[in-house]
Structure formats: C-alpha cells, structure tokens
C-alpha cells in the first residue's frame, strides 16, 4: 500500500511538474508575443496622442497663416508706395513737358506787347498751338471727332438742338462749342455739341 501511495505521489509530482512546465511555456509564449506586438506591430494611438498631434497641426497652420498674412500686408504697403511713386513721376514728366510751351507763351506775350505787325504774332500762336497738339498726342490724348459725325452719348454732350439744314444731317453734329478729349479709349472730357433735329 505504501508503494502505491509512493507511486501516486510520484505521478502527482510529475503531473504538477508537467503542468508547471506547460504554464511556464505558455507564459513565455505570451510574453514573447506581447513583446513582438510592442516592437513590430503598430501601436494603437491613445486619445492624448491624437490631441497632441492635432494641436501640433493647429500650431503649424497658425504659423503659416501668420506668415502669409504678414507677407500680404507687406505686399499691400509696397504696392501702395509703388503706385504713389508712379503717379508722382508721371505728373512730374507731364509738367516737365509743359515747361517749353510756357516759355513760348511768355515770349509770345512779350512780342504781342511791342508788335507792330500782326503776321509774326499769328505765326507764333500757331507754332505754340502745334507744339501743344503734339504734346497731347505724345501723352496719348486725342481730340474726339465731331464734324458731321452721328451724335453719340458715349463721346458727345448735346447743349442745343437746331433744325437740320438737310435731311441727311438729322441727329448729326452741326457745331462743336468745346472739344472733347480721350486718353486711349477713355473719355476725359465730353465734346459739347449742337445737333440737328
């Protein structure tokens, strides 16, 4: 009977050892599997990680926005300054071109006061007018044509109407009381005209 008990104890000890060995093997496998997942497999991001990532993105976008806004403000200031300089320079160029005509007008006034013959005075005034017409043409300003043209509210301003001298002159310009001018395609002053009805 003692022998049976000893055999059973030995068997129980062996089973316990086998169970412990199996448990140790399983635990080692689970530990190895967990370690492998931590090192090789993708880690599931936590809510804090997502919040931190989004905060970083917001900071980067805010910095980009601030830089872009500053660049745009600098561009606006530069463009305004450049436009102002262009206007001043353009005005200066026009005035510099007018100075020779003023000189000629002063000479003409001096000559008129002492002139005994009218012909040289007429010639001088015609030369000044020709010079002024060339000045306007050089600055892209041209007179609006009116002689015998159809009345057009885009270019002409009717100040009076008179009976047309002939049937073909109806709604056409009979007389121009003040010349109109254009710079390029833009009217700077409408021509004041009399039209036939």
């Amino acid at each position: 009977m003692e022998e049976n008990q000893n055999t059973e104890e030995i068997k129980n000890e062996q089973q316990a050892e086998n169970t412990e060995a199996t448990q140790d093997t399983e635990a080692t496998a689970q530990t190895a599997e967990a370690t492998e997942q931590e090192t090789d497999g993708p880690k599931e991001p936590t809510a804090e990680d997502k919040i931190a990532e989004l905060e970083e993105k917001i900071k980067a976008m805010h910095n980009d926005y601030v830089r872009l806004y500053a660049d745009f403000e600098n561009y606006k200031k530069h463009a305004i300054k450049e436009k102002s300089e262009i206007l001043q320079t353009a005005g200066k160029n026009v005035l510099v071109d007018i100075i020779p005509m003023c000189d000629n007008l002063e000479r003409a006034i001096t000559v008129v006061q002492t002139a005994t013959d009218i012909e040289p005075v007429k010639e001088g005034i015609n030369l000044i007018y020709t010079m002024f017409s060339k000045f306007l043409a050089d600055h892209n300003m041209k007179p609006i044509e009116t002689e015998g043209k159809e009345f057009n509210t885009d270019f002409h301003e009717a100040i009076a109407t008179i009976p047309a001298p002939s049937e073909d002159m109806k709604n056409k310009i009979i007389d121009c009381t003040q010349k109109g001018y254009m710079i390029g395609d833009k009217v700077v002053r409408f021509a004041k005209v009399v039209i036939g009805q």
Side-chain angles (χ1 to χ4, degrees), residues 109-122:
I109 289 168
T110 306
V111 169
V112 165
Q113 291 172 354
T114 59
T116 53
D117 189 9
I118 194 92
E119 285 305 314
V121 173
K122 286 180 182 178

Side-chain angles (χ1 to χ4, degrees), residues 4 29 53 75 98 164 166 171 174 181:
N4 281 343
E53 184 183 335
Y75 165 77
I98 287 176
S166 62
N171 203 30
I174 307 292
Y181 288 93

Side-chain angles (χ1 to χ4, degrees), residues 9-119:
E9 283 177 15
I10 292 172
K11 280 185 183 177
N12 286 340
E13 282 177 19
Q14 283 178 348
Q15 280 181 345
E17 283 177 11
N18 286 344
T19 306
E20 280 178 26
T22 307
Q23 287 174 348
D24 284 346
T25 307
E26 285 176 6
T28 306
Q30 285 176 349
T31 307
E33 194 177 300
T35 307
E36 188 178 314
Q37 283 179 352
E38 284 177 10
T39 55
D40 294 339
K43 182 182 174 186
E44 188 70 29
T46 64
E48 289 83 17
D49 292 340
K50 288 180 181 178
I51 290 170
E53 184 183 335
L54 290 173
E55 283 175 348
E56 284 299 316
K57 282 184 181 179
I58 288 169
K59 278 183 189 174
M61 289 171 72
H62 178 70
N63 289 340
D64 289 346
Y65 167 76
V66 169
R67 282 193 195 99
L68 186 63
Y69 184 77
D71 286 346
F72 180 68
E73 286 300 312
N74 289 337
Y75 165 77
K76 277 185 4 185
K77 288 176 187 172
H78 181 72
I80 289 168
K81 182 180 175 187
E82 204 172 71
K83 186 177 179 181
S84 173
E85 287 173 0
I86 287 171
L87 289 173
Q88 287 176 353
T89 306
K92 179 184 168 193
N93 292 342
V94 169
L95 293 174
V96 166
D97 289 347
I98 287 176
I99 291 172
M101 286 180 280
C102 288
D103 294 340
N104 288 338
L105 280 171
E106 286 172 0
R107 288 186 199 108
I109 289 168
T110 306
V111 169
V112 165
Q113 291 172 354
T114 59
T116 53
D117 189 9
I118 194 92
E119 285 305 314

Side-chain angles (χ1 to χ4, degrees), residues 114-145:
T114 59
T116 53
D117 189 9
I118 194 92
E119 285 305 314
V121 173
K122 286 180 182 178
E123 243 178 75
I125 290 172
N126 282 334
L127 283 172
I128 293 169
Y129 177 74
T130 303
M131 187 180 195
F132 193 73
S133 296
K134 183 181 180 311
F135 163 80
L136 292 178
D138 289 346
H139 288 84
N140 201 24
M141 186 173 279
K142 57 186 178 189
I144 295 172
E145 292 185 24

